[in-house]
Amino acid sequence: MNTYPNAKGGAQKLYKSYIIYIIAAIITIIASIATISGILLANSDAAYQTSEVGIFTGVSATIALVGAFVTIAAGILQILGILQASKDEDSFKTALIIFVLSIIVSCLAGIEALSGLKAIFTTVSTVLMTASGLLTIKGFCKLLEERGAEKTAQLGHKLEKLAIVIMVIKVAIDLVSLALPLAAALLVVVYLVIYMIFYFRMLGFLKRTAVHMTD
């Protein structure tokens, strides 16, 4: 029976990246709560008599910036993990290319000159990111099935379905964020809760996968 040491090393790196992603998600949840609080204060009569709205806005922006840097660190580790795993399975190469494309499109969404296309770029980036994740899971599932670890592979297939649900919610957030900021902020909290459930399950999947690749 073949062993896949590179896939094991890749899974271990991805495991660490998902832990960092969870930390980023917690930070983003805190930022979302601050945003919601600011919006509610802005809609109250008393808000205009105090500086509380500005305080909440500033805190939210600062926390979101920290979350962005943490997410970047996780993304770098994720790229390294997929790159290493690609030495044992070609589907990871496609996953890596799509992941990098998603980052490029996401950067385009942040360019002021292209602000009119921000919603489109953000949606495309979300879809690409999900496609990369699905290919990554499928790659591990293929190797797991070759190693006779069907139960762990089945867990991976369940994660694929959950990833699609997360993508649909994220796209909905992107579409309503400009017109309905409060609704979008509330959806972000729901999204991040489901997102964290996915990532905790993904941690279990990756931990088992790393074991099955060589043992």
Side-chain angles (χ1 to χ4, degrees):
M1 184 182 294
N2 293 329
T3 58
Y4 303 102
N6 290 305
K8 178 176 182 176
Q12 290 172 333
K13 284 185 175 66
L14 286 170
Y15 180 89
K16 295 175 183 177
S17 76
Y18 279 90
I19 290 177
I20 299 174
Y21 275 128
I22 289 173
I23 295 172
I26 293 172
I27 293 172
T28 306
I29 287 175
I30 295 172
S32 296
I33 292 173
T35 299
I36 293 172
S37 300
I39 293 172
L40 292 175
L41 281 172
N43 291 331
S44 69
D45 294 335
Y48 296 103
Q49 306 301 321
T50 69
S51 61
E52 292 178 351
V53 175
I55 293 174
F56 275 104
T57 301
V59 169
S60 175
T62 302
I63 295 174
L65 183 61
V66 173
F69 281 115
V70 175
T71 300
I72 290 172
I76 293 172
L77 192 55
Q78 183 176 355
I79 289 174
L80 293 175
I82 298 174
L83 183 61
Q84 183 173 357
S86 68
K87 296 177 182 178
D88 284 338
E89 168 57 37
D90 288 339
S91 61
F92 291 113
K93 295 178 182 178
T94 305
L96 180 59
I97 292 172
I98 295 176
F99 183 75
V100 172
L101 284 174
S102 73
I103 294 174
I104 294 173
V105 175
S106 180
C107 290
L108 290 175
I111 297 176
E112 185 65 30
L114 300 174
S115 59
L117 299 173
K118 181 177 180 179
I120 295 175
F121 283 136
T122 303
T123 300
V124 172
S125 176
T126 298
V127 173
L128 289 173
M129 191 75 73
T130 302
S132 175
L134 290 174
L135 284 171
T136 300
I137 295 172
K138 285 182 181 295
F140 282 126
C141 286
K142 179 180 178 181
L143 298 180
L144 285 166
E145 289 165 356
E146 291 181 8
R147 294 280 298 166
E150 285 81 6
K151 287 186 177 180
T152 303
Q154 288 175 3
L155 174 59
H157 293 312
K158 291 179 181 178
L159 286 170
E160 291 171 6
K161 297 177 182 178
L162 186 56
I164 293 174
V165 172
I166 292 173
M167 180 193 71
V168 171
I169 297 174
K170 181 62 168 60
V171 169
I173 292 170
D174 295 337
L175 293 176
V176 305
S177 60
L178 295 177
L180 301 169
L182 179 56
L186 292 172
L187 273 176
V188 166
V189 176
V190 174
Y191 160 76
L192 288 171
V193 170
I194 299 176
Y195 173 96
M196 290 185 67
I197 291 173
F198 169 80
Y199 274 82
F200 276 115
R201 290 186 178 182
M202 192 68 177
L203 286 176
F205 172 70
L206 290 170
K207 187 174 183 178
R208 296 181 190 179
T209 296
V211 172
H212 288 304
M213 289 299 99
T214 56
D215 296 346

